């Protein structure tokens, strides 16, 4: 009976058996999951190591032409140098430690071949070249050198220079001045200020003989005229002069406000200044003469004296001959008032002359005066001072009072000292005491740092990084650490494994007791039968309690069989 019921009990009770465990809950599944986690961790570590040990790429060349790019990459392939292109393909990148050596090797090959040819064009002049070809090559070389010099400006990507150099003429009326045109290709998002444009203009003008800055035209890649060619006489407004005036006015305002702020407060004073600056450079030469004053001794520069006297007889005169050589007779004078006294002889004197020349030094003053440009012609300063603000201790309200006349006068004197007031120059100063807007409002209370809205972005950043740190700690302590702990433990045991003991000689095994083995086998078989019987009995009881109809049918079959 028991043997016939066993198959029926096994089939009927199979649905009530315990569910099979899932694969990852089995010992083998746990080992597979642990191995996958370890492999994932090792892959992450390897990726981080490869990322950190990747070579640092630096720019070899940038902004090159397509032809130069192809020649450079071909040479790099021949040299076995790894390279890659930057985003957009505007630069070639190679490992940083190879940049200097590769540049020298490519330079020996003439790479990159820039579009602007300099004076190296004149190195390969052929014998028998005409003068026209020599002049053209020289002009091309000069244009290329100027373009290379302009490209050294950080905001300029590339440049082209065109020179119009007329032929020299022996006639002055036929002589013409050279002109130049510069086309600039600026870097993306960059622009040149007026000072940089002026520097490029003067660079080109200084490199070509007889080329004036007014004959240099600068244009960018958008067709915008950067240089002002309308001012032929150099009378355009210099931006450096404007900067000088602005800096001068700002310095005066700073001096005035720093002088008055300690008295009335940093926010209670406003000042503005206007400066008229003379940028004309004047050179004066004066030569003045004035007569010497009588009391002062006169300085003699030179003095000449000549005196000449002759004998009493006159020199012979008349027509040469016998009559002219005879001595003259006794000279007689007309008697006027009577005859001369007896015994008195009348004589005549000869010619005599005396000349004296004296030269005196002239009082002369030579004056050379050179006035530097940038002198101040006039200063105009205006200062506004706020009313004095205080809080009434009784009512707690804000009380506003104007400054006294003595305080305004004191501020006026301090401002004059700060600005360098000069009445002879025509400087003007106006100090006004007026209430500012909102001066009667109550003082703002200080807000705590945790209530200040300006600190909200900083708090968000701190919270973000704290959240990331917490997530990383959770992943480490809850996932990675439990998975890696057995592996690390086995690794430590493998590392710290003691040395193996020396093998000992095996002891002789005793002869097996066959009777004892048979007895143990019989006891095990009996124990197994008892366990199977008890298990079947418990299953039958459970089945009778849960479904009595099946048990009744089984009993009917047993009775019918008997």
């Amino acid at each position: 009976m028991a043997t016939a019921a066993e198959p029926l009990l096994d089939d009927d009770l199979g649905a009530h058996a315990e569910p099979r465990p899932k694969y990852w809950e089995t010992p083998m599944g746990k080992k597979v999951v642990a191995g996958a986690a370890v492999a994932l961790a090792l892959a992450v570590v390897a990726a981080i190591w490869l990322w950190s040990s990747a070579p640092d790429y630096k720019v070899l060349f940038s902004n090159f032409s397509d032809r130069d790019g192809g020649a450079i990459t071909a040479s790099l392939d021949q040299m076995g140098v790894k390279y890659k292109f930057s985003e957009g393909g505007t630069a070639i990148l190679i490992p940083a430690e190879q940049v200097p050596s590769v540049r020298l090797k490519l330079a020996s090959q003439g790479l990159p071949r820039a579009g602007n040819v300099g004076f190296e064009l004149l190195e390969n002049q052929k014998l028998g070249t005409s003068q026209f070809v020599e002049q053209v090559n020289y002009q091309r070389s000069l244009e290329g050198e100027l373009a290379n010099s302009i490209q050294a400006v950080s905001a300029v990507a590339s440049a082209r220079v065109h020179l119009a150099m007329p032929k020299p003429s022996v006639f002055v009326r036929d002589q013409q001045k050279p002109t130049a045109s510069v086309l600039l290709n600026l870097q993306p998002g960059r622009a040149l200020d007026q000072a940089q444009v002026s520097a490029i203009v003067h660079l080109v003008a200084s490199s070509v003989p007889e080329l004036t800055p007014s004959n240099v035209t600068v244009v960018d890649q958008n067709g915008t005229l950067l240089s002002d060619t309308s001012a032929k006489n150099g009378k355009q407004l210099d931006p450096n002069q404007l900067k000088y005036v602005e800096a001068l006015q700002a310095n005066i305002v700073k001096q005035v406000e720093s002088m008055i702020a300690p008295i009335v407060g940093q926010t209670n004073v406003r000042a503005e200044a206007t400066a008229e600056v003379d940028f004309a450079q004047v050179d004066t030469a004066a030569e003045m003469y004035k007569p010497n004053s009588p009391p002062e001794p006169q300085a003699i520069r030179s003095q000449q004296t000549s005196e000449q006297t002759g004998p009493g007889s006159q020199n012979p005169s008349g027509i040469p001959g016998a009559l002219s050589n005879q001595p003259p007779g006794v000279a007689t004078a007309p008697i006027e008032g009577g005859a001369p006294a007896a015994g008195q002889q009348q004589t005549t004197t000869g010619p005599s002359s005396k000349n004296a020349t004296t030269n005196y030094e002239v009082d002369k003053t030579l004056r050379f005066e050179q006035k530097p440009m940038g002198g101040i012609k006039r200063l105009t300063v205006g200062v506004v001072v706020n009313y004095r603000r205080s809080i009434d201790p009784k009512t707690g309200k804000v009380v506003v009072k104007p400054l006294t006349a003595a305080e305004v006068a004191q501020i006026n004197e301090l401002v004059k000292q700060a600005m360098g007031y000069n009445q002879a120059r025509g400087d003007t100063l106006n100090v006004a005491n007026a209430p500012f807007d909102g001066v009667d409002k109550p003082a703002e209370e200080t807000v705590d740092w945790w209530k200040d809205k300006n600190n909200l972005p900083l708090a968000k950043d701190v919270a973000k990084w704290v959240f990331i740190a917490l997530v990383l700690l959770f992943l480490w302590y809850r996932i990675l650490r439990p998975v890696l702990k057995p592996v690390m433990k086995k690794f430590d045991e493998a590392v710290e494994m003691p040395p193996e003991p020396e093998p000992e000689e095996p002891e002789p095994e005793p002869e097996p007791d066959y009777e004892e083995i048979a007895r143990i086998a019989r006891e095990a078989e009996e124990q197994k039968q008892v366990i199977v019987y008890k298990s079947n009995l418990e299953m039958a009881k459970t089945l009778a309690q849960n479904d009595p109809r099946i048990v009744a049918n089984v009993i009917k079959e047993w009775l019918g069989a008997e």
Side-chain angles (χ1 to χ4, degrees):
M1 294 176 62
T3 57
E6 287 178 0
L8 179 62
L9 292 174
D10 292 340
D11 294 338
D12 294 335
L13 300 177
H16 300 280
E18 295 181 359
R20 292 183 179 180
K22 296 181 180 179
Y23 178 75
W24 57 82
E25 295 178 354
T26 60
M28 181 59 69
K30 292 180 179 179
K31 293 181 180 179
V32 172
V33 173
V38 172
L40 180 60
L42 293 177
V44 171
V45 173
I48 295 175
W49 181 77
L50 292 176
W51 174 74
S52 61
S53 61
D56 184 16
Y57 281 82
K58 293 293 184 66
V59 177
L60 178 63
F61 293 111
S62 62
N63 298 325
F64 47 81
S65 61
D66 295 339
R67 181 178 299 177
D68 289 344
I72 291 171
T73 53
S75 299
L76 294 178
D77 292 335
Q78 294 178 358
M79 292 185 289
V81 179
K82 296 181 179 180
Y83 64 89
K84 63 180 182 179
F85 295 95
S86 64
E87 296 182 0
T90 58
I92 298 178
L93 309 178
I94 65 172
E97 63 276 4
Q98 298 181 3
V99 170
S101 59
V102 172
R103 282 183 178 175
L104 293 177
K105 292 179 181 179
L106 293 178
S108 63
Q109 301 176 11
L111 294 176
R113 301 180 180 91
N116 298 323
V117 181
F119 283 115
E120 61 271 11
L121 184 64
L122 303 178
E123 296 177 357
N124 300 322
Q125 290 286 349
K126 297 180 180 180
L127 185 63
T129 304
S130 63
Q131 183 178 4
F132 175 77
V133 175
E134 290 181 353
Q135 183 66 25
V136 171
N137 290 337
Y138 171 75
Q139 184 171 342
R140 288 181 57 195
S141 303
L142 184 58
E143 291 175 351
E145 291 293 338
L146 289 174
N148 293 333
S149 300
I150 296 173
Q151 289 177 6
V153 181
S154 60
V156 178
S158 61
R160 294 193 64 182
V161 179
H162 302 279
L163 298 177
M165 305 177 68
K167 295 181 179 180
S169 176
V170 295
F171 300 101
V172 177
R173 62 177 177 271
D174 294 337
Q175 290 182 357
Q176 298 180 1
K177 298 293 183 181
T179 58
S181 302
V182 181
L183 177 62
L184 302 179
N185 185 14
L186 303 180
Q187 298 284 358
R190 301 292 297 274
L192 295 177
D193 56 13
Q194 194 62 33
Q196 291 175 317
V197 175
S198 179
I200 294 175
V201 169
H202 285 80
L203 173 66
V204 176
S206 302
S207 303
V208 180
E210 298 183 1
L211 178 60
T212 58
S214 59
N215 290 335
V216 179
T217 304
V218 181
V219 183
D220 63 359
Q221 72 273 19
N222 298 323
T224 304
L225 181 63
L226 302 180
S227 60
D228 187 9
T229 58
S230 60
K232 295 297 183 180
N233 297 327
K235 296 182 180 180
Q236 66 271 22
L237 192 60
D238 192 353
N240 294 327
Q241 297 177 359
L242 295 178
K243 291 182 179 179
Y244 173 76
V245 174
E246 292 176 356
L248 178 62
Q249 295 176 166
N251 188 25
I252 294 174
V253 170
K254 182 179 179 181
Q255 292 178 355
V256 171
E257 291 183 350
S258 62
M259 180 71 73
I260 308 303
I263 301 175
V264 298
Q266 186 67 33
T267 60
N268 294 326
V269 58
R270 293 290 183 272
E272 290 295 335
T274 303
E276 296 182 10
V277 183
D278 185 10
F279 291 102
Q281 187 174 1
V282 180
D283 296 336
T284 304
E287 185 175 358
M288 296 177 292
Y289 297 89
K290 64 179 180 179
N292 295 325
S293 57
E296 296 180 359
Q298 297 180 354
I300 297 176
R301 182 177 182 181
S302 62
Q303 187 175 8
Q304 296 178 358
T305 303
S306 62
E307 185 176 355
Q308 183 179 2
T309 58
S313 61
Q314 296 181 354
N315 294 328
S317 60
I319 300 173
L323 296 178
S324 60
N325 291 332
Q326 293 178 0
V330 178
T332 59
I335 301 173
E336 293 181 358
Q344 183 178 5
Q345 185 179 359
Q346 185 177 3
T347 62
T348 59
T349 59
S352 63
S353 63
K354 184 176 182 182
N355 297 325
T357 303
T358 303
N359 296 325
Y360 296 94
E361 291 288 353
V362 180
D363 190 359
K364 180 177 66 173
T365 301
L366 295 176
R367 181 181 179 185
F368 298 94
E369 182 179 2
Q370 183 177 8
K371 295 182 179 180
M373 58 188 301
I376 299 176
K377 297 173 62 177
R378 184 184 178 187
L379 286 179
T380 303
V381 179
V383 182
V384 179
V385 182
N386 193 10
Y387 277 9
R388 191 174 298 279
R389 184 174 181 269
S390 61
I391 299 176
D392 191 357
K394 296 181 179 180
T395 61
K397 296 182 179 180
V398 178
V399 179
V400 179
K401 295 181 180 180
L403 300 179
T404 62
E407 292 176 340
V408 174
Q410 181 183 10
I411 293 175
N412 196 352
E413 293 298 328
L414 291 176
V415 172
K416 286 184 178 180
Q417 297 296 328
M419 64 175 286
Y421 181 82
N422 188 356
Q423 186 176 3
R425 192 171 52 192
D427 296 347
T428 58
L429 172 63
N430 186 10
V431 178
N433 182 215
F436 288 3
D437 185 19
V439 69
D440 54 347
K441 293 182 179 180
E444 297 181 358
E445 297 180 357
T446 57
V447 182
D448 297 331
W449 64 271
W450 61 84
K451 297 181 181 179
D452 191 0
K453 294 182 179 180
N454 296 329
N455 297 331
L456 185 59
L458 179 61
K460 290 182 178 179
D461 293 339
V462 173
K464 180 181 69 175
W465 290 110
V466 170
F467 176 75
I468 293 174
L470 292 177
V471 170
L472 293 177
L473 291 176
F474 176 79
L475 293 176
W476 170 252
Y477 284 102
R478 292 294 183 181
I479 298 177
L480 292 178
R481 187 177 181 183
V483 172
L484 297 177
K485 188 175 181 180
V487 179
M488 298 303 297
K489 185 176 180 181
K490 292 182 179 180
F491 179 77
D492 295 338
E493 292 177 354
V495 173
E496 299 178 359
M497 183 178 296
E500 297 181 357
E502 296 180 359
E504 299 179 356
E505 296 180 359
E507 297 181 356
E509 297 181 357
E511 296 180 359
D513 189 357
Y514 296 104
E515 296 179 356
E516 184 68 21
I517 295 174
R519 185 183 62 80
I520 294 173
R522 286 194 302 272
E523 292 179 355
E525 185 65 25
E526 292 175 357
Q527 186 71 20
K528 181 178 180 182
Q529 291 178 358
V530 172
I531 293 172
V532 171
Y533 173 75
K534 290 181 178 180
S535 177
N536 293 336
L537 182 60
E538 291 294 333
M539 292 174 62
K541 290 179 179 180
T542 304
L543 183 61
Q545 292 176 359
N546 295 334
D547 198 351
R549 290 181 298 175
I550 297 177
V551 178
N553 293 332
V554 172
I555 295 174
K556 287 180 182 180
E557 290 181 0
W558 288 352
L559 294 176
E562 291 179 355

